[in-house]
Amino acid sequence: MKKYIKNKKQRFLINFKNVKNIKKIISKIYSKFGSIDILINNAGAKKDKIILNMTKKNWSDIIKINLTSVFLMSKNVIKYMIKNKYGRIISISSIVGETGNIGQSNYSASKYGIIGFNKSLALEVAKYGITSNVVSPGFIETKMTKNIKKYKKNIYIKKIPLKKFGKVEDVTNAVMFLVSKKSSYITGQTIHVNGGMYME
């Protein structure tokens, strides 16, 4: 799994299979800019199969991409946030982590794992002025949901109180709030962006 980190001046390619590469790239970012204030963990992939047909590789690949990447990125960025006594960490989960879904036991486990990880992380880093939160989207109009068959999409929409799929901007707005100073007293939380389909 590869993921781009973007900024105004440079783009860094991170390969999650190479831990040394992660450390090297993050160190390079810090050396260049003098701080790392925000981390958004947004890696996501799926390999859907019912449990009887799911291979160990189907399972481990999705856990690595969706969950282990959050651990590795957070671990390697936090030490630089501690130096500056400030940081905002946002990890993207999914409604499926809360509700489950047929054929997605690996995806569900990885996304629910992010929520548990976030709670522990938030407790560990709060004293350093770092907050850690989760944004958990429902059905959003993206490439991942584009291939959902029309009849299935209609079934999902009937379950959504707002009667529509969300826009990418709906998720972005939640993330932008959590990285802003307006959210400075919010940590360890999961913000659900799902049109009311799931409520805690």
Side-chain angles (χ1 to χ4, degrees):
M1 173 63 186
K2 294 180 179 180
K3 180 180 177 65
Y4 283 103
I5 287 184
K6 297 180 181 179
N7 55 57
K8 293 180 180 179
K9 297 181 180 179
Q10 196 164 355
R11 177 183 289 180
F12 298 91
L13 181 63
I14 289 181
N15 184 342
F16 288 133
K17 292 180 180 178
N18 188 335
V19 177
K20 288 183 180 179
N21 186 53
I22 293 174
K23 291 180 180 179
K24 184 178 177 181
I25 294 298
I26 292 175
S27 176
K28 190 174 180 180
I29 293 170
Y30 184 80
S31 296
K32 187 173 181 65
F33 297 102
S35 69
I36 299 177
D37 300 322
I38 297 168
L39 170 65
I40 300 173
N41 293 306
N42 191 33
K46 64 187 183 76
K47 289 186 178 179
D48 296 350
K49 289 181 185 292
I50 61 170
I51 196 72
L52 288 172
N53 296 332
M54 186 174 291
T55 65
K56 185 179 178 182
K57 190 173 189 306
N58 294 149
W59 172 269
S60 60
D61 282 352
I62 296 307
I63 296 297
K64 284 179 183 177
I65 293 168
N66 294 355
L67 182 56
T68 306
S69 65
V70 174
F71 160 70
L72 292 173
M73 292 299 294
S74 300
K75 176 181 172 64
N76 285 284
V77 164
I78 281 169
K79 63 181 179 180
Y80 298 110
M81 291 181 171
I82 289 173
K83 283 184 180 181
N84 292 345
K85 295 182 179 178
Y86 179 86
R88 295 283 187 269
I89 300 171
I90 313 297
S91 299
I92 308 300
S93 181
S94 168
I95 189 174
V96 175
E98 300 278 3
T99 64
N101 197 28
I102 293 172
Q104 290 193 310
S105 60
N106 51 359
Y107 184 80
S108 298
S110 69
K111 291 300 183 178
Y112 195 65
I114 288 172
I115 294 171
F117 174 83
N118 174 68
K119 290 177 180 179
S120 294
L121 180 63
L123 290 171
E124 291 180 15
V125 301
K127 63 184 177 182
Y128 302 112
I130 302 167
T131 64
S132 181
N133 293 288
V134 168
V135 173
S136 183
F139 286 92
I140 308 296
E141 291 180 357
T142 63
K143 289 180 181 179
M144 192 176 279
T145 59
K146 190 176 181 181
N147 295 325
I148 294 176
K149 293 179 181 179
K150 191 174 181 179
Y151 81 92
K152 270 196 172 183
K153 186 173 182 179
N154 289 334
I155 291 172
Y156 291 136
I157 287 174
K158 286 179 182 178
K159 295 179 180 179
I160 301 171
L162 289 179
K163 301 302 177 189
K164 61 180 180 179
F165 277 22
K167 303 286 187 183
V168 171
E169 291 76 14
D170 296 320
V171 179
T172 303
N173 290 338
V175 171
M176 293 303 291
F177 168 70
L178 289 172
V179 301
S180 73
K181 291 182 179 179
K182 294 178 181 179
S183 69
S184 61
Y185 201 56
I186 299 173
T187 194
Q189 302 303 311
T190 299
I191 308 299
H192 297 281
V193 184
N194 58 38
M197 189 176 183
Y198 172 82
M199 302 180 191
E200 281 190 317

